[in-house]
Amino acid sequence: ATLLKAKRTVDKKNNILISLRDASKQSGISFATLSRMENGKCPDVNTLIKASYWLGKPIEFFFKSSK
């Protein structure tokens, strides 16, 4: 959730976010799904792949280590 908001931060100095609608257009993930993800809901596998690509993170990044 925090990573999505960080990705949406356009101007880090002033902490300006792009809208979820713009993020949806950029990522190919629906507005509603991005909103649910930002609120802690787990996406399906296809959405997770899209989010991984958009955020530039490997899928493993989204899973907590069992160590």
Side-chain angles (χ1 to χ4, degrees), residues 20-60:
L20 273 180
R21 298 228 183 265
D22 288 339
S24 174
K25 290 175 187 173
Q26 290 178 12
S27 67
I29 301 169
S30 76
F31 169 85
T33 298
L34 284 176
S35 179
R36 285 191 298 269
M37 289 172 68
E38 281 195 346
N39 288 303
K41 303 295 182 193
C42 294
D44 63 33
V45 173
N46 290 330
T47 302
L48 185 60
I49 291 168
K50 286 181 182 179
S52 173
Y53 181 76
W54 183 60
L55 295 168
K57 298 288 183 183
I59 289 182
E60 295 83 16

Side-chain angles (χ1 to χ4, degrees), residues 8-26:
R8 292 195 308 123
T9 302
V10 175
D11 180 347
K12 293 183 192 306
K13 181 178 179 185
N14 296 315
N15 202 29
I16 298 171
L17 299 178
I18 63 170
S19 71
L20 273 180
R21 298 228 183 265
D22 288 339
S24 174
K25 290 175 187 173
Q26 290 178 12

